[in-house]
Amino acid sequence: DVVCLVSLQPIISCGKNSFIAEKIRLAGGNNITDSDFNESYPVLTREYILMKNPDVILIGGKTSEFEKTFFAFYPELKKTKAFLNKRIYQSDPDLLFRPSPRVGESISEINSLLIEN
C-alpha cells in the first residue's frame, strides 16, 4: 500500500481522481486513499495514516529533508511500515507531479520503487 504526499501541513495526498494515483495503479501499487476519498487531493489525518499503515511513502522532493520535517511534526507516524522498513522514496517532483510526455518514465520509476526489496 502506497501513500503519495504532496503537502506536509496539512497532510495532503494524491486521491483516486488524480493522475498521480493513476500512475501508482499503473505501476502496480495500491493507493491507500482510493477506497475512502473521492477528492483528487484529500487532506489526511495522522490517525488515518496510522490506520492504513502504508508500506511505502512516496514524495516529490528530497527524502532527508522530508524525513526531518515530516516526522518531527508527526513523530507517531514513525510506527508505519514505510518508516520502519525504510521505504520512504523520493521522486523528481517535475516527473511525479507534472503531467508530461514523460509519464511512462514516471510510471517506470514508481514501479521500480515499489518492487524494491
Side-chain angles (χ1 to χ4, degrees), residues 37-94:
F37 297 94
N38 288 321
E39 298 90 1
S40 296
Y41 296 95
V43 176
L44 305 182
T45 64
R46 295 173 282 190
E47 295 80 12
Y48 179 83
I49 296 171
L50 282 171
M51 178 186 71
K52 290 294 189 170
N53 198 14
D55 298 301
V56 172
I57 296 175
L58 181 61
I59 59 163
K62 294 187 179 178
T63 306
S64 59
E65 291 176 16
F66 169 82
E67 287 188 33
K68 288 177 193 172
T69 307
F70 187 72
F71 294 106
F73 289 141
Y74 313 110
E76 63 277 11
L77 295 181
K78 290 180 178 181
K79 297 176 185 176
T80 62
K81 288 185 276 187
F83 183 85
L84 294 172
N85 295 321
K86 298 178 176 32
R87 295 202 67 201
I88 300 164
Y89 301 121
Q90 70 133 84
S91 177
D92 177 336
D94 288 337

Side-chain angles (χ1 to χ4, degrees), residues 2 4 6 11 24 32 49 51 60 75 81 83 86 89 93-94 103 105-106 117:
V2 180
C4 180
V6 297
I11 303 170
I24 292 169
I32 68 167
I49 296 171
M51 178 186 71
K81 288 185 276 187
F83 183 85
K86 298 178 176 32
Y89 301 121
D94 288 337
V103 70
E105 183 181 341
S106 180
N117 293 333

